[in-house]
């Protein structure tokens, strides 16, 4: 029997698998849908914002029939069940998430109160695991709490590579993890009071295990490489997920989030690689 990984206690743990349909907020859209009772297909007025695996609710945001889209061809969606009613140009609502609970028990929940900035919940995104889809326009989560150096963060995501695609940033703008413009690598911030060392493990279909850590005036290690941190114990006061802080249209990431863990201490390269392997075995194809 394998021995447990000695990571210590996390300060925050987030998983899209913890979200159920009961946790969803169904937000209005500009689209309409049509379909016949007894059928398992819906025709949308446009394909804007549609995703396989997303939740949709028809006609009424609170009491309407609710389905998961299991297949999508243009504007025609196959549903997870048959329609009970016939619809003609009916309103449709998308299942979004406004609260991602912290599973560590520390209450550091990720929050987005604005409906238009909430990510979609995607069912069975990869190997039976849920994901959150961030649209790269304005979707993001935020949480305020003490995140002092040193800390170690792990994230499993499938993010689009592009200019200024930020996956993680501290409120003080000094603790960021950013995807590079052309490769599945990451840029680090070594300025200010903090120094961040980050690394990405590229998997199938652009899925990435992202590791980042922030140390206080010491030498940090990652895969036998070193990064000298600047002195200081700056607390960014919290962080923003899938965007830089403050967000704008040029630094909000597009992609799917599955899992993240943040520890209030530094992990050795042995522990980092063990956690990386655990995440890869759990989530990677």
């Amino acid at each position: 029997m394998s021995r447990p990984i000695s990571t210590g206690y996390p300060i925050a743990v987030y998983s899209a698998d913890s979200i159920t349909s009961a946790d969803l907020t169904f937000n209005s859209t500009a689209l309409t849908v049509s379909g016949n009772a007894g059928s398992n297909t819906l025709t949308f007025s446009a394909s804007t914002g549609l995703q396989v695996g997303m939740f949709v609710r028809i006609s009424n945001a609170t009491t309407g029939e609710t389905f998961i889209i299991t297949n999508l061809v243009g504007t025609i969606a196959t549903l997870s069940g048959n329609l009970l009613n016939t619809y003609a140009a009916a309103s449709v609502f998308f299942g979004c998430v406004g609260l991602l609970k912290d599973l560590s028990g520390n209450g550091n929940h990720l929050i987005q109160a604005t409906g238009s900035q909430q990510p979609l919940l995607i069912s069975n995104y990869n190997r039976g695991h849920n994901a959150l889809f961030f649209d790269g326009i304005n979707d993001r989560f935020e949480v305020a709490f003490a995140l002092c150096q040193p800390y170690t963060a792990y994230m499993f995501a499938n993010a689009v590579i592009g200019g200024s695609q930020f996956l993680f940033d501290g409120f003080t703008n000094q603790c960021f993890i950013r995807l590079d413009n052309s490769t599945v690598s990451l840029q680090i911030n070594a300025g200010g009071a903090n120094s961040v060392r980050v690394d990405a493990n590229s998997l199938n279909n652009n899925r990435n295990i992202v590791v980042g850590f922030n140390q206080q005036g010491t030498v940090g290690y990652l895969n036998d490489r070193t990064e000298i941190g600047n002195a200081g114990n700056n607390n960014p006061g919290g962080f923003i997920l899938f965007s830089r802080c403050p967000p704008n249209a040029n630094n909000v990431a597009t992609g799917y989030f599955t899992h993240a863990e943040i520890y209030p201490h530094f992990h050795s390269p042995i522990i980092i690689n063990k956690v990386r392997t655990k995440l890869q075995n759990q989530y990677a194809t």
Side-chain angles (χ1 to χ4, degrees):
M1 189 172 89
S2 61
R3 303 173 71 178
I5 304 172
S6 301
T7 56
Y9 292 106
I11 194 171
V13 176
Y14 306 103
S15 174
D17 284 338
S18 69
I19 304 167
T20 68
S21 58
D23 300 316
L24 293 178
T25 299
F26 283 87
N27 295 325
S28 61
T29 73
L31 304 182
T32 59
V33 293
S34 300
N36 297 318
S39 170
N40 70 337
T41 62
L42 270 181
T43 300
F44 287 76
S45 58
S47 60
T48 307
L50 298 182
Q51 295 267 338
V52 172
M54 70 184 293
F55 290 75
V56 293
R57 182 166 286 175
I58 308 168
S59 184
N60 187 291
T62 304
T63 61
E65 293 189 69
T66 305
F67 301 94
I68 298 170
I69 294 179
T70 60
N71 191 45
L72 190 61
V73 179
T75 59
I76 300 176
T78 303
L79 306 176
S80 55
N82 292 335
L83 295 168
L84 296 178
N85 302 292
T86 294
Y87 300 96
S91 300
V92 63
F93 304 83
F94 290 175
C96 300
V97 178
L99 172 68
L100 184 58
K101 293 180 181 178
D102 172 17
L103 303 180
S104 73
N106 293 315
N108 296 314
H109 309 309
L110 285 164
I111 298 172
Q112 179 52 262
T114 303
S116 61
Q117 298 173 0
Q118 294 172 349
L120 296 171
L121 176 63
I122 306 298
S123 176
N124 193 22
Y125 170 68
N126 182 46
R127 294 181 62 180
H129 296 286
N130 293 341
L132 293 171
F133 176 73
F134 292 78
D135 64 7
I137 301 172
N138 56 13
D139 290 354
R140 61 186 183 274
F141 273 133
E142 298 181 21
V143 60
F145 69 95
L147 187 65
C148 295
Q149 303 174 57
Y151 66 82
T152 307
Y154 301 89
M155 184 186 301
F156 194 92
N158 180 5
V160 175
I161 307 303
S164 298
Q165 298 284 307
F166 286 85
L167 298 180
F168 177 99
D169 191 18
F171 283 176
T172 58
N173 216 205
Q174 293 189 347
C175 308
F176 62 75
I177 295 175
R178 177 168 89 87
L179 286 173
D180 187 83
N181 287 336
S182 58
T183 62
V184 190
S185 62
L186 294 144
Q187 294 206 353
I188 65 172
N189 177 28
N194 289 351
S195 179
V196 180
R197 176 64 171 164
V198 294
D199 186 39
N201 185 29
S202 174
L203 302 168
N204 302 13
N205 304 316
N206 230 23
R207 294 187 175 92
N208 312 306
I209 296 176
V210 177
V211 179
F213 59 79
N214 192 313
Q215 67 278 358
Q216 178 188 347
T218 59
V219 178
Y221 302 89
L222 186 62
N223 294 343
D224 300 322
R225 293 174 298 192
T226 62
E227 174 75 17
I228 306 299
N230 294 324
N233 192 26
N234 183 43
N235 171 22
F239 72 91
I240 187 167
L241 187 68
F242 263 67
S243 175
R244 194 169 190 188
C245 190
N248 63 54
N250 296 320
N251 60 31
V252 181
T254 304
Y256 301 84
F257 166 86
T258 302
H259 183 88
E261 303 174 9
I262 302 174
Y263 294 85
H265 43 259
F266 176 71
H267 282 173
S268 70
I270 293 175
I271 297 300
I272 287 173
N273 286 328
K274 284 184 176 180
V275 175
R276 183 199 301 270
T277 299
K278 180 194 73 171
L279 291 175
Q280 180 169 336
N281 290 339
Q282 185 172 0
Y283 296 112
T285 53

